Amino acid sequence: MSATSHPTSAHWGSYRVLVDDGRVVGVRPDPEDPAPSPVMANTPGAQHHASRVARPAVRRRWLEHGPGPDPRRGDPGDAYVEVEWATVLDVLARELDRVRTEHGSAAIYGGSYGWGSAGRVHHAQSLLHRFLNTIGGYTRSRTTYSHGAVEVLMPHLLGTPAANRLLHRAPSWTAIAEHTDLLVSFGGLRVSNTWTSSGGRGAQTAAPAMRAAAEAGVELVSVSPLADDTAEDSGAEHLSLVPGTDTAVMLALMHVLFAESLADTAFLDRYTVGADRIRAYVAGERDEHGRPGGVERSPEWAAGVSGVPAGEIRALARRMAGRRTLVNVGWSVQRARFGEQPLWAGLALACCLGQVGLPGGGFASGYGSMGNYGGGSTPLGLPRMPQGNNPVDSFIPVARVADMLLHPGEAYRFDGRDLRYPDVRLVYWAGGNPFHHHQDLARLSRAFGRAETVVVHETHWTATARHADIVVPATTVLERDDLAASQGDLSVRAMPRAVAPHGQARDEYDTYADLAKRLGVREAFTEGRTSGEWLRLVYGRWRSMLARHGLEVPGFEEFWERGRVEMPGRVEDEALLGGFRADPEGSPLRTPSGRIELFSEAIASFGYEDCPGHPVWLPSPAVAEDDAWPLVLLANQPSGRLHSQQDMGAHSAAQKVRGRAPLRMHPDDARAAGVADGDAVRVSGPRGSCLAGLVVSDALRPGVVQLSTGAWYDPSAEGVTCAHGNPNALAEDVGTSSLAQGCTGQLVRVRVEPWRGPLPPVRAFEPPRGVASV
């Protein structure tokens, strides 16, 4: 039988899968994609892997003892009992009804954190939230692991509309190529990050556009501990700094601008508030609270903190002042303690240059962080499955889930509010893997043990599924009809089913419809429609909305036959805050002052020691030298997969060393630790340890090791927290500050040493006891 070719889309782009005798046997790039992601090569191995969840399963201890906290939840030796669909639906419906009746709907945490599907209708998060809203609501999460500090801080500084434009309507790479002379990016411009867009992308345009900008004469400066944080052929200059010291360098750059009268004081006076406070702070005239006296934040001071020579800082400040300069702060930089500060300082630096609102100049946060950043925007919106309204007002910042489960009722601070963690009894997760995103995984495991019931919809037996009491098998994107598009996308694409569902896996829509029937709300959830009918309706509503704006797309049947339609109403912006710059009185920002708030009275009034009223130097614990933990581990995003998805696939597996995640280390540090390229090593820190495979590389700054996230968490071996190389087994579970409470998994101090003795097997991809693979 010859293989058939089927179009599909994932968060890493559009491509085609080859199917032979009902199995995915290969992949082919989309012919319209100029730079397809190699991550697609993971698909064949993952689609039919032994770790697929083939049948509904219930954890034996929960089945025997009933709901309640259980410290053995997530134990590698835990056993499951596979049950019939009718049984699991009956059990789950009864448990949902028990919890909401006895404890209220706020006792249910709807923990889906997206990314499970690029589809617009079979979107795991949307479907779970729609279902929970239909049965009475749930405790939800706010912000993201990716850029939680940006989401909370920037509305204070720019107002909510402008903050949203910062994230979703950044100037295009085309505008950068035309107008920008100098792009200075703190956190680099990592090409592999641009392979990912939430919802996928019709064509991977970010990396080619980045190279085109360099060819057009845009000078790129990457400020990063990694020399290869930009494309090799971009011609980027590299400023190597100690991880976590970006704010120090930015403050010193501002010191030079003020001291040498290079700052645009006219711009600062007209368009900002608080520049005088920052000038006094960097000059050492005032401290972070505005009191007399302080430390002069000069290039010499910054050199001692960051390792960047004072002369290089001065030279860069002068270049930035003499060119059309765009300051970019990547999302990675703010995923650390006090992560609000480099964002705030980056905005202040751009304002001191006076180019905010000009094409090619100003401030950005996201170039090199995701593929659709700078790739245009779709202000009219995308097709989407309606979630309904949540009648429950209970929420937590997304990265505080372990705190919520471990400390119900405990007070915490967030964005100027004094809040208490809700008393959650049932955790319901779909389409996400917190044992990838979260920090201090042993602590997260203890936190999951405090719940009375954990429910997970999954395609594979991830670590999150292994912490569930009820595991519901879900179809993959290849096993159902859907459509794909992302913010700023070039097209909307059909995703026809390519293979039959694995085992007894079902579409989540049908699972929720049957649960809703048992709870007496099926009609409210389905509105009398099948998922196929919703697919047509969602597309039709989007088409009607476009028609109201004078834009046309074909009807659904023609779209499905063609396979894609060009995205109408797409725009490519040239400048952020251009309207405000042109008329600050007529188009004020939605901030208390109507201007850019380099000093925020609101944030200052919160009284947070870990986030004062203007950008300051707050040294991260990862910066402080520690003889016990002499190295700084940088946990960046992986190039072999999206997050932890399809980690068993061919492209991801090819990067591993001795079956573990690769740890990169400078040759000098490797010699000092007594380890060599290809060795198995133990990486340990104050909170845990993991095994990894060593890759010796001079692309890192000495004193820095790099271990990307995403290896499936494997606590099966004695002597280490994770046998597979997940850096979140080491990272501290603490928020960026009391303001944003964002994720801080980027940096941690560690020690690296040889692993002595037999190397334990990696068991992360083995189904649990009691589960038969298909």
Side-chain angles (χ1 to χ4, degrees):
M1 179 179 178
S2 60
T4 55
S5 176
H6 303 262
T8 192
S9 288
H11 297 297
W12 49 89
S14 294
Y15 56 106
R16 303 185 73 89
V17 293
L18 304 181
V19 177
D20 191 352
D21 196 22
R23 296 182 66 85
V24 177
V25 295
V27 293
R28 292 289 185 272
D30 188 319
E32 297 189 26
D33 192 340
S37 168
V39 173
M40 73 176 75
N42 287 329
T43 300
Q47 175 64 26
H48 308 289
H49 195 264
S51 61
R52 282 293 304 269
V53 181
R55 304 173 187 85
V58 182
R59 197 168 66 93
R60 182 177 293 279
R61 287 176 56 83
W62 188 93
L63 196 61
E64 293 175 349
H65 302 290
D70 187 347
R72 289 189 54 188
R73 191 175 279 126
D75 189 302
D78 232 349
Y80 284 79
V81 177
E82 295 185 326
V83 298
E84 298 298 323
W85 265 105
T87 300
V88 80
L89 292 169
D90 288 344
V91 168
L92 179 49
R94 284 196 300 268
E95 180 60 4
L96 285 165
D97 194 45
R98 179 191 74 83
V99 172
R100 67 178 183 172
T101 300
E102 295 181 5
H103 304 289
S105 294
I108 300 172
Y109 180 63
S112 176
Y113 180 65
W115 293 110
S117 168
R120 305 298 302 174
V121 173
H122 292 284
H123 183 249
Q125 184 187 72
S126 297
L127 290 175
L128 173 60
H129 290 176
R130 178 180 176 85
F131 169 70
L132 293 178
N133 286 335
T134 303
I135 68 170
Y138 62 101
T139 289
R140 65 195 185 281
S141 63
R142 285 189 183 175
T143 71
T144 64
Y145 282 94
S146 296
H147 44 63
V150 179
E151 294 171 78
V152 178
L153 175 67
M154 285 300 163
H156 287 286
L157 310 187
L158 300 175
T160 298
N164 287 337
R165 290 180 73 95
L166 173 69
L167 278 174
H168 304 300
R169 293 194 61 173
S172 69
W173 278 105
T174 302
I176 291 173
E178 183 177 354
H179 301 290
T180 303
D181 297 320
L182 178 64
L183 170 55
V184 179
S185 184
F186 293 85
L189 293 165
R190 197 166 185 82
V191 170
S192 59
N193 290 344
T194 70
W195 295 337
T196 298
S197 300
S198 180
R201 194 161 174 85
Q204 298 282 13
T205 57
M210 193 186 308
R211 294 185 179 95
E215 292 170 359
V218 179
E219 298 175 16
L220 306 178
V221 177
S222 171
V223 187
S224 169
L226 306 179
D228 56 358
D229 239 2
T230 56
E232 291 182 7
D233 55 356
S234 68
E237 300 174 43
H238 176 223
L239 262 64
S240 175
L241 83 172
V242 173
T245 63
D246 304 80
T247 302
V249 173
M250 294 180 204
L251 293 171
L253 290 167
M254 285 186 277
H255 181 281
V256 175
L257 296 177
F258 284 119
E260 299 186 6
S261 299
L262 297 174
D264 190 334
T265 55
F267 178 90
L268 293 171
D269 291 343
R270 186 177 186 192
Y271 296 99
T272 76
V273 294
D276 55 332
R277 299 285 291 262
I278 294 175
R279 187 204 61 77
Y281 175 73
V282 299
E285 299 168 3
R286 299 276 175 176
D287 67 8
E288 61 268 25
H289 300 293
R291 298 173 298 218
V295 176
E296 187 176 4
R297 309 297 174 177
S298 66
E300 286 72 23
W301 165 82
V305 171
S306 69
V308 180
E312 292 187 19
I313 295 175
R314 280 198 171 83
L316 179 59
R318 293 163 184 163
R319 283 175 67 194
M320 294 172 77
R323 312 278 182 91
R324 180 63 59 86
T325 300
L326 178 60
V327 178
N328 179 61
V329 179
W331 294 348
S332 61
V333 173
Q334 52 97 68
R335 290 197 293 266
R337 288 293 300 276
F338 318 123
E340 296 84 356
Q341 300 310 310
L343 293 167
W344 207 340
L347 177 62
L349 174 59
C351 288
C352 288
L353 295 171
Q355 298 177 19
V356 173
L358 295 176
F363 176 74
S365 180
Y367 293 108
S369 298
M370 189 173 282
N372 56 355
Y373 196 93
S377 62
T378 45
L380 296 180
L382 301 170
R384 66 181 65 250
M385 186 73 176
Q387 297 185 20
N389 298 313
N390 187 353
V392 174
D393 62 4
S394 177
F395 75 92
I396 61 164
V398 68
R400 302 272 53 80
V401 60
D403 287 351
M404 173 189 72
L405 295 172
L406 290 168
H407 306 294
E410 184 172 290
Y412 72 101
R413 297 179 294 179
F414 172 67
D415 197 16
R417 300 175 63 181
D418 293 320
L419 302 168
R420 292 189 179 276
Y421 290 116
D423 187 3
V424 165
R425 306 302 180 96
L426 185 149
V427 174
Y428 205 137
W429 221 285
N433 183 11
F435 283 85
H436 159 75
H437 289 288
H438 205 71
Q439 286 68 59
D440 196 344
L441 296 182
R443 182 175 188 261
L444 181 63
S445 185
R446 293 194 299 273
F448 267 60
R450 294 292 299 274
E452 293 179 356
T453 299
V454 177
V455 183
V456 171
H457 290 208
E458 252 300 356
T459 59
H460 293 74
W461 280 101
T462 63
T464 303
R466 289 170 174 270
H467 280 76
D469 302 302
I470 300 172
V471 181
V472 181
T475 52
T476 69
V477 296
L478 299 181
E479 298 166 351
R480 60 204 182 208
D481 290 340
D482 212 333
L483 56 84
S486 65
Q487 173 62 231
D489 212 336
L490 284 71
S491 62
V492 176
R493 300 167 303 285
M495 301 167 63
R497 189 173 97 160
V499 293
H502 178 87
Q504 296 180 16
R506 299 178 68 199
D507 293 352
E508 288 170 281
Y509 179 87
D510 295 331
T511 298
Y512 293 128
D514 284 350
L515 282 172
K517 179 180 179 180
R518 285 164 168 78
L519 295 168
V521 292
R522 180 185 176 93
E523 182 62 27
F525 175 76
T526 67
E527 299 182 23
R529 300 183 181 94
T530 65
S531 60
E533 290 167 337
W534 270 110
L535 179 62
R536 286 160 173 78
L537 179 65
V538 164
Y539 180 88
R541 287 177 173 174
W542 176 68
R543 182 181 183 226
S544 296
M545 179 273 295
L546 294 173
R548 292 194 294 272
H549 290 84
L551 300 170
E552 294 185 8
V553 293
F556 180 83
E557 300 303 330
E558 182 180 346
F559 154 68
W560 197 256
E561 178 68 23
R562 287 167 51 179
R564 71 176 67 204
V565 296
E566 185 176 340
M567 182 68 73
R570 184 174 173 276
V571 297
E572 293 197 6
D573 294 289
E574 286 201 337
L576 177 70
L577 303 181
F580 166 67
R581 184 186 181 103
D583 185 5
E585 289 76 27
S587 301
L589 300 180
R590 294 186 187 176
T591 61
S593 64
R595 294 185 280 174
I596 300 171
E597 305 232 331
L598 303 184
F599 174 82
S600 169
E601 290 282 4
I603 294 177
S605 72
F606 300 157
Y608 297 154
E609 287 295 322
D610 54 3
C611 190
H614 65 78
V616 300
W617 169 243
L618 297 172
S620 166
V623 176
E625 292 187 5
D626 188 331
D627 291 340
W629 317 108
L631 302 168
V632 179
L633 185 148
L634 193 155
N636 62 354
Q637 293 297 313
S639 63
R641 60 195 164 265
L642 166 60
H643 297 152
S644 63
Q645 289 187 45
Q646 302 186 347
D647 186 25
M648 73 293 291
H651 183 63
S652 180
Q655 295 185 346
K656 297 191 178 182
V657 177
R658 305 189 70 176
R660 328 281 150 166
L663 175 87
R664 294 205 302 171
M665 191 176 196
H666 191 274
D668 294 346
D669 295 323
R671 282 190 292 270
V675 293
D677 194 83
D679 283 355
V681 296
R682 185 176 190 268
V683 189
S684 56
R687 280 157 294 281
S689 60
C690 70
L691 296 181
L694 189 66
V695 176
V696 177
S697 171
D698 60 4
L700 294 88
R701 180 184 180 86
V704 176
V705 293
Q706 178 245 313
L707 179 63
S708 295
T709 61
W712 280 23
Y713 178 52
D714 184 355
S716 65
E718 293 186 9
V720 289
T721 312
C722 176
H724 195 199
N726 190 319
N728 278 329
L730 314 172
E732 184 179 14
D733 183 10
V734 62
T736 51
S737 78
S738 301
L739 182 76
Q741 295 287 1
C743 158
T744 58
Q746 184 76 4
L747 305 175
V748 60
R749 293 205 74 90
V750 300
R751 178 176 63 247
V752 176
E753 54 199 348
W755 175 257
R756 307 196 185 279
L759 192 60
V762 173
R763 302 192 181 280
F765 304 125
E766 298 176 4
R769 290 197 302 127
V771 171
S773 61
V774 172

